[in-house]
Amino acid sequence: MFSRVANFVIGVGLVCQLGGSGCARPAGELFPRMTSPRVWPAAPDTPRIQFLGALSGSGDLNAGESGSEAFASLLRGPRPPIRFSTPSAIAVSGSSLVAVADGGAAAVHIVDLGTREHTLVSGWGDERFAMPVGATWVGRRLFITDAKRHEVVELSATGDFVRRFGTDELMRPVGIAFAESIGTLYVVDGGAHHLSLFELGGTLLKTVGRRGEKPGEFNYPSHLSVRGDRIVVADSGNFRVQVLDLDGNAIRTIGQKGNGAGDFALPKGVAIDGEGRVFVVDAQFENVQVFDDAGQLLMAFGREGRSLGDFWLPAGLTIDAQDRIWVADGGNRRVQLFSQVRGSS
């Protein structure tokens, strides 16, 4: 019996190593088109947001497999999938590189949608991430905030350690974003209730804001985003979002504590799209509210739930160069992707 199995494996191995088509598997569709797309608002209103897909880990990448890889899997068994635990922030570079800060796993996921590769980075050398909660790309350089290590860690696009900084200047770094026009990293320090501005080499340039309720002041801020000459900050403890210029001067505030449309219970992930609209995740309302550049509510999408398009304790949000919306759906252990329907306003 053993020899029959051995002969079978050797025979399959020769076919696979010669590139046999019976062993290789081509990559599948990344985000399969739904027969009945989920959109917001629902008919008969004109749809503005459409659900595209979700990723819970490497198993959802539908990666292909060469003949030699198939043979290796036959010998060792399939590789265990890498799964998200509690994704809290997402960053996207170009059309393919996605980074997910996963506080629950104490790790960072780097996903290449082009090659369908999923890399899990839990640390470097003898060091380990403690609570990575924020992420931003600068080209192919990845910057991660670790709230418990109170520092920023720079990684390469392949997950290799480059440097760390901020240990002596930061109390609880959470959100992070990059202003390309001035080459500056903005870090939300939730423990110090201000923003810290760093140059890319790690030198602290200045801090902006202090604890308070006035415009330009913060109370446990958590997330931020930069686009063009605007910064948008989730001022979570004040139940609002603040829009600032690149110097940190307050331009306007959006929202207030309440249960009505346009109010907030726990604002977290924020982002600005190409038209200047502000998108805000609310971790307690478990939806995303969309405001125009003057702060007026346009619409909301999502609800509490486990189904595709629903949220459970969502946290981070980013908008990529194609104006697609990525949401870290932490309680559902996944990230979800939405598009803006062309022609909508």
Side-chain angles (χ1 to χ4, degrees), residues 83-100:
R83 295 188 175 93
F84 299 131
S85 176
T86 314
S88 58
I90 310 172
V92 180
S93 177
S95 60
S96 63
L97 282 177
V98 179
V100 179

Side-chain angles (χ1 to χ4, degrees), residues 17 60 64 69 72 83 100 131 137 141 234 292 307:
Q17 289 177 326
D60 294 329
E69 290 170 338
R83 295 188 175 93
V100 179
M131 186 177 286
W137 290 98
R141 303 168 67 180
D292 65 17
S307 300

Side-chain angles (χ1 to χ4, degrees), residues 221-245:
S222 60
H223 293 69
L224 87 165
S225 180
V226 177
R227 191 152 187 169
D229 61 354
R230 291 290 181 267
I231 308 168
V232 58
V233 181
D235 188 8
S236 302
N238 282 325
F239 309 99
R240 66 187 181 186
V241 168
Q242 295 202 58
V243 180
L244 316 173
D245 64 21

Side-chain angles (χ1 to χ4, degrees), residues 11-12 39 61 75 168 186 202 206 216-217 220 222 241 267 323 333:
V12 171
V39 298
L61 293 175
L75 293 178
D168 296 328
Y186 290 76
K206 67 175 182 177
E217 298 178 341
Y220 293 106
S222 60
V241 168
D323 266 352
R333 302 176 182 268

Side-chain angles (χ1 to χ4, degrees), residues 57-59 78-83:
S58 60
R79 295 183 186 276
I82 303 171
R83 295 188 175 93

